[in-house]
Amino acid sequence: MCGIVGYVGNQEAVPILIGGLAKLEYRGYDSAGVAVLQGQKIEVRRSVGKLVNLQKSLEDNALKGTVGIGHTRWATHGKPSEQNAHPHRSKGCVLVHNGIIENYQPLKQQLEKEGYKFQSETDTEVVAHLIDKYLQKGQGLADAVRAATKDVRGSYALAVISEKEPGTMIAARSGCPLVIGRTKDASFVASDVMAMLAHTRDVTYLEEGDVAVVTQHEATLTDVDGHAVVRKPAKITWDASAAEKSGYPHFMLKEIHEQPQTILDTMRGRYSYETGEADLPDIGLTPKEFAAVDRMWIVACGTSWHAGLVGKYLLEEMVRTPVQVDIGSEFRYRDPLVGKNDLFVTISQSGETADTLAAAREAKGKGAKVVSIVNVVGSTLARESDGVLYTHCGPEIGVASTKAFTAQLTALYLLALHLARVRKVMAAADGKAWLDRLVRLPSLVEQILGREAEIVVIAKRYYKKRNFLFLGRGINFPIALEGALKLKEISYIHAEGYAAGEMKHGPIALIDKDMPVVVLAPKDRLYEKTVSNLMEVKARRAPVIALVAEGELELGKTADAVFTIPETHPLLSPILFTIPLQLLAYHIAVLCGADVDQPRNLAKSVTVE
Ligand code: AGP
């Protein structure tokens, strides 16, 4: 999730660009850069690390001009480095980009054949050379950008300037937000209104496929074919703090609502319908090495460990390979029996969790291949692994992990498909069927998020309770654990996740009318057993909150509160059952007056043992 800023006006561009980029700081980044039209030439300046490094470089060696673009990078393709920092250029064309170009590799090969030399490892640079190619054919900048965006597949928000058309900026979006601001003497472009609130509150949001021609005095919008489009301007009334969260009261709620997009982004460009296979170029092991794997391990901490537990059910069912799951802080203190033919998977949002890092090093020391599912590109765990599967969900600011968790599950679904196909335990047709179901998840998540008000009603009924139980079976047992963790870590209410079948072996003694029990009851092969577990706790007067499959309203009548989950394959149900639990924890915590984004005693990344 990168930050984009553009300016065309009568003031010096650099202070406006830097001020805008600073407002996007909450999005996190690993490098930053600006490009300014200085006379007839566009000068580019980029720095790795914090924005202050770029500011220092510009103080030491100023750039002067009233047209410019700026960028803060959250790496997806290519490690954090100056070469990979934006803006990227091709001759006199310079651009910044947010998004993922799924087909950048074939485009890059074609452009190299046509003589283009690549300076970076990014997918973005492909777009700069594509635009230049069309400019060289005599097209104007707007037409060249339109043509280039037709060649690419994936998501983009672009701000483009060219030495051939000084004073003009082209902004284009598909799949990533982009907004234009106007004043009497200037135009602004940004990925987020935050970057321009200091200058204007009169904005126009670009919509899918829009291409804007931006000059000092106007911004005209067209579609990708050049036909004029009209977009209703908006007046931003948010204060700065609310704008950072796109109008949401907390980063956590914003990130919960980002999940349809982040699940999609984690899938983008990583599968082929034609072959029914996953396409994981950075996975680090050859199909032959995957085929030789005797056993798998998954090691992680906290919410990421819950993802690992889901991975066990998923991988053992789809790949038929034994999977051992461990908590990072336990794994390496028991001299684990890791073998040379073992595949060792670690899962970590930050890629810096000390316990998980130590486990990966232990496994490598014992000869295993390490593949990591990580969100932060270039993090320690990513760099030390033999292969990496990034979750493209952008920086997760809320301490309670939400979008990273469902992105981790998405990455596991892709890994399971990859392993099942290379180990020939899944035929192409089944792979395609699996992908069909997988690509429907973002819209099903969107559907659930649209019913948030139902969760608010449940939260209002039970937020004063001091103890909760979350029950699940099979692949949703880890989701019961996750639901409990979400609630306890942001509301400070005691909550336990339990295997529903385990209740009768002790915990049922806890049940009374003051202990709400959340029961996850997907319509899978364990449904009847889950229903009897629900009846057991109901019989002991516990208030039951049942998450049931659509159509199972019978069960809903028995429960005290019910929330229906859209139908999907049982193995994919964990992502759908997670969403209402995230919302329930969030709304209960808000009703309790807790500090949702920064709960007491917790850190976003636990870099100490
Ligand atoms: C999750 O809500 C917690 N913030 C915590 O359990 C977290 O998942 C854990 O510390 C692991 O972090 P990582 O994914 O960055 O390794």
Side-chain angles (χ1 to χ4, degrees):
M1 182 153 71
C2 305
I4 286 176
V5 185
Y7 174 74
V8 187
N10 56 6
Q11 309 287 318
E12 280 305 320
V14 167
I16 293 170
L17 297 175
I18 295 296
L21 294 178
K23 293 295 181 193
L24 302 182
E25 190 158 12
Y26 72 91
R27 296 162 76 105
Y29 49 85
D30 45 59
S31 54
V34 294
V36 174
L37 181 66
Q38 198 162 253
Q40 296 306 309
K41 286 286 175 205
I42 296 175
E43 300 296 335
V44 176
R45 191 74 55 76
R46 305 180 296 187
S47 297
V48 182
K50 292 277 181 201
L51 187 59
V52 66
N53 300 341
L54 178 64
Q55 277 171 292
K56 196 165 171 346
S57 154
L58 289 162
E59 280 156 13
D60 298 347
N61 178 3
L63 291 181
K64 295 286 181 199
T66 63
V67 177
I69 52 178
H71 187 270
T72 55
R73 183 172 183 247
W74 174 270
T76 55
H77 294 75
K79 64 185 177 302
S81 67
E82 187 172 334
Q83 278 70 28
N84 290 333
H86 300 208
H88 287 286
R89 79 182 304 157
S90 181
K91 302 191 188 78
C93 167
V94 182
L95 63 75
V96 290
H97 165 236
N98 182 20
I100 295 169
I101 307 298
E102 296 174 15
N103 60 336
Y104 82 96
Q105 280 156 336
L107 289 172
K108 181 170 180 176
Q109 285 153 17
Q110 181 54 37
L111 287 161
E112 284 176 327
K113 279 194 197 125
E114 293 169 17
Y116 283 96
K117 298 272 179 284
F118 280 75
Q119 308 301 321
S120 79
E121 304 159 321
T122 67
D123 54 336
T124 300
E125 192 180 350
V126 158
V127 186
H129 294 314
L130 276 174
I131 295 171
D132 177 69
K133 188 171 99 171
Y134 290 108
L135 287 172
Q136 299 306 326
K137 288 178 179 172
Q139 294 194 24
L141 185 57
D143 288 336
V145 171
R146 291 189 192 103
T149 56
K150 286 181 178 171
D151 289 345
V152 305
R153 203 173 64 241
S155 59
Y156 58 81
L158 295 169
V160 190
I161 52 179
S162 166
E163 290 166 356
K164 287 175 180 267
E165 296 184 33
T168 297
M169 181 179 303
I170 307 297
R173 75 147 281 176
S174 176
C176 291
L178 207 53
V179 58
I180 292 173
R182 286 279 309 134
T183 63
K184 191 167 69 60
D185 295 320
S187 296
F188 303 80
V189 172
S191 45
D192 185 316
V193 286
M194 265 306 291
M196 58 179 70
L197 281 188
H199 309 286
T200 180
R201 287 179 176 268
D202 296 315
V203 303
T204 303
Y205 289 92
L206 269 64
E207 295 189 16
E208 286 301 282
D210 285 0
V211 177
V213 181
V214 182
T215 61
Q216 178 181 351
H217 294 297
E218 63 177 350
T220 49
L221 271 64
T222 73
D223 62 17
V224 73
D225 295 315
H227 304 126
V229 294
V230 177
R231 299 295 175 220
K232 194 164 164 299
K235 186 89 176 168
I236 298 298
T237 55
W238 298 328
D239 64 21
S241 160
E244 261 186 11
K245 305 170 193 113
S246 303
Y248 289 101
H250 298 100
F251 279 112
M252 183 178 173
L253 189 59
K254 174 178 176 246
E255 288 156 4
I256 288 172
H257 282 271
E258 284 177 346
Q259 290 178 110
Q261 185 66 45
T262 50
I263 291 167
L264 178 62
D265 286 348
T266 300
M267 281 189 238
R268 275 191 197 284
R270 290 174 156 171
Y271 60 88
S272 155
Y273 257 129
E274 292 68 50
T275 60
E277 289 175 331
D279 177 13
L280 309 175
D282 304 328
I283 201 70
L285 277 78
T286 63
K288 195 157 164 283
E289 285 171 319
F290 272 125
V293 164
D294 293 333
R295 177 177 53 170
M296 287 180 65
W297 298 74
I298 304 179
V299 174
C301 300
T303 283
S304 301
W305 172 60
H306 297 155
L309 289 171
V310 171
K312 174 183 173 64
Y313 286 93
L314 180 69
L315 289 157
E316 287 191 344
E317 174 136 355
M318 277 182 75
V319 187
R320 309 308 296 154
T321 303
V323 180
Q324 161 84 29
V325 180
D326 252 307
I327 290 173
S329 55
E330 288 295 313
F331 171 77
R332 66 192 180 94
Y333 292 111
R334 57 183 181 81
D335 192 10
L337 302 168
V338 178
K340 285 196 175 13
N341 276 339
D342 289 0
L343 172 61
F344 195 87
V345 178
T346 53
I347 304 177
S348 174
Q349 187 284 130
S350 62
E352 303 298 345
T353 299
D355 291 327
T356 308
L357 267 176
R361 288 165 182 159
E362 176 83 10
K364 281 198 92 163
K366 292 178 181 280
K369 286 275 189 189
V370 175
V371 169
S372 292
I373 296 175
V374 181
N375 192 40
V376 180
V377 175
S379 56
T380 306
L381 186 59
R383 279 184 284 108
E384 294 189 6
S385 299
D386 299 294
V388 67
L389 184 42
Y390 283 120
T391 50
H392 293 149
C393 65
E396 186 174 65
I397 313 294
V399 165
S401 188
T402 51
K403 63 177 183 175
F405 177 64
T406 51
Q408 289 165 352
L409 297 186
T410 305
L412 283 165
Y413 289 138
L414 291 167
L415 180 61
L417 173 63
H418 183 64
L419 282 164
R421 297 285 283 120
V422 296
R423 294 171 68 90
K424 303 196 185 330
V425 292
M426 180 184 269
D430 297 330
K432 290 175 188 171
W434 180 250
L435 286 169
D436 268 336
R437 297 184 193 109
L438 205 50
V439 298
R440 273 205 294 275
L441 283 177
S443 61
L444 295 178
V445 169
E446 193 74 63
Q447 219 185 86
I448 293 171
L449 291 169
R451 297 168 41 215
E452 183 174 359
E454 294 176 43
I455 297 293
V456 174
V457 168
I458 297 172
K460 284 179 178 165
R461 275 175 68 181
Y462 299 108
Y463 78 97
K464 291 199 171 91
K465 300 296 183 186
R466 303 315 305 152
N467 294 287
F468 278 71
L469 212 48
F470 290 74
L471 303 183
R473 292 186 81 115
I475 198 167
N476 282 295
F477 162 44
I479 304 307
L481 296 175
E482 175 59 11
L485 175 61
K486 283 287 94 53
L487 181 63
K488 71 180 109 175
E489 70 174 327
I490 61 173
S491 69
Y492 316 145
I493 294 171
H494 174 250
E496 273 189 270
Y498 242 91
E502 187 60 8
M503 281 301 292
K504 54 190 174 294
H505 300 288
I508 202 160
L510 287 171
I511 300 297
D512 64 20
K513 65 178 176 41
D514 289 320
M515 179 178 267
V517 179
V518 180
V519 181
L520 312 184
K523 195 75 175 152
D524 58 15
R525 59 174 181 256
L526 296 166
Y527 179 67
E528 281 65 35
K529 294 195 181 303
T530 306
V531 170
S532 56
N533 297 144
L534 185 152
M535 296 305 182
E536 283 162 18
V537 294
K538 188 78 196 119
R540 288 153 181 86
R541 298 186 305 134
V544 171
I545 301 164
L547 273 57
V548 299
E550 264 164 8
E552 289 307 317
L553 284 175
E554 254 334 283
L555 186 58
K557 286 189 192 120
T558 315
D560 300 83
V562 66
F563 186 89
T564 58
I565 304 288
E567 198 277 330
T568 187
H569 189 282
L571 290 179
L572 296 175
S573 61
I575 280 197
L576 300 186
F577 276 80
T578 299
I579 308 299
L581 300 186
Q582 293 171 342
L583 289 170
L584 182 65
Y586 171 81
H587 285 291
I588 287 178
V590 167
L591 288 165
C592 292
D595 181 352
V596 170
D597 282 334
Q598 290 171 331
R600 69 187 181 200
N601 311 336
L602 293 178
K604 183 58 190 168
S605 174
V606 184
T607 55
V608 293
E609 286 196 41

